[in-house]
Amino acid sequence: MRPVRTVARSLLATIFVVQGWASFRAPAKLADRARPVTDRLEPAIRAVHPSLPTDAETLVRVNGAAQVLGGVLLATGRASRPAALLLAGSLVPTTLAGHAFWSVEDPQQRALQRIQFMKNMGLVGGLLLAAVDREGRPDLRWRAGHAAKTLRRARKHLRDSSPIPLRHR
């Protein structure tokens, strides 16, 4: 199953590396479309730290860098779960800025933007699946339960095989 996961992660990551690099290299092309979203994010950014940049071009560039980094990590399988969460988070403002179909008047353009919006939501779904994928390994809850069961068996075995009776507490 590992080769399938590797190919799937690489295919999922490709759009983020390519489009993220384009956004990072030329943020001015996307800044006007991003401005309504970045303007709404400005108070939250200022609340985190007043010296953080809030201009649209810089935020587009940061988002592009996050997508390149997340895409490379996802494709290579290094920190793929956090990378998938990073990509899902970066896709939300990208989708809101780039595919706000509800604000488009032309029916053809509205339909096209709706399709792009839904495609991005499908990517978010795939990224969320990648974020919870443990590659077949059991999760912490299962491992803790399994360890407890093993300890109970070992304790019972010691109690049953010990020449000296063990007390229950």
Side-chain angles (χ1 to χ4, degrees):
M1 190 68 151
R2 184 119 174 105
V4 172
R5 279 188 173 91
T6 302
V7 169
R9 280 195 310 259
S10 297
L11 291 172
L12 186 56
T14 302
I15 191 168
F16 295 101
V17 174
V18 172
Q19 291 304 116
W21 180 247
S23 297
F24 181 78
R25 265 193 16 232
K29 291 180 181 179
L30 302 169
D32 286 339
R33 286 180 80 178
R35 197 159 280 111
V37 174
T38 60
D39 288 349
R40 292 188 75 184
L41 289 174
E42 185 175 353
I45 294 169
R46 292 264 183 242
V48 170
H49 199 282
S51 67
L52 288 174
T54 58
D55 65 288
E57 277 194 42
T58 303
L59 294 177
V60 167
R61 180 169 276 157
V62 168
N63 194 49
Q67 289 184 348
V68 170
L69 174 65
V72 168
L73 290 173
L74 184 65
T76 60
R78 304 233 189 270
S80 58
R81 294 174 72 198
L85 289 174
L86 173 66
L87 290 172
S90 77
L91 198 52
V92 172
T94 300
T95 303
L96 293 174
H99 305 297
F101 66 89
W102 52 88
S103 64
V104 177
E105 297 296 323
D106 178 38
Q108 257 184 329
Q109 282 301 312
R110 178 185 279 260
L112 178 64
Q113 291 304 320
R114 187 178 321 121
I115 289 169
Q116 293 301 314
F117 183 90
M118 290 187 293
K119 176 217 26 133
N120 282 9
M121 291 301 95
L123 286 171
V124 169
L127 290 165
L128 291 176
L129 283 173
V132 299
D133 180 31
R134 299 199 40 79
E135 298 186 15
R137 294 180 304 232
D139 65 2
L140 185 60
R141 190 177 89 191
W142 183 91
R143 289 183 291 176
H146 185 71
K149 189 186 294 184
T150 301
L151 286 173
R152 282 192 301 272
R153 283 187 199 146
R155 186 172 141 211
K156 183 180 182 322
H157 178 72
L158 281 173
R159 189 179 37 211
D160 294 347
S161 64
S162 175
I164 302 169
L166 297 176
R167 292 183 163 200
H168 291 283
R169 290 185 186 198

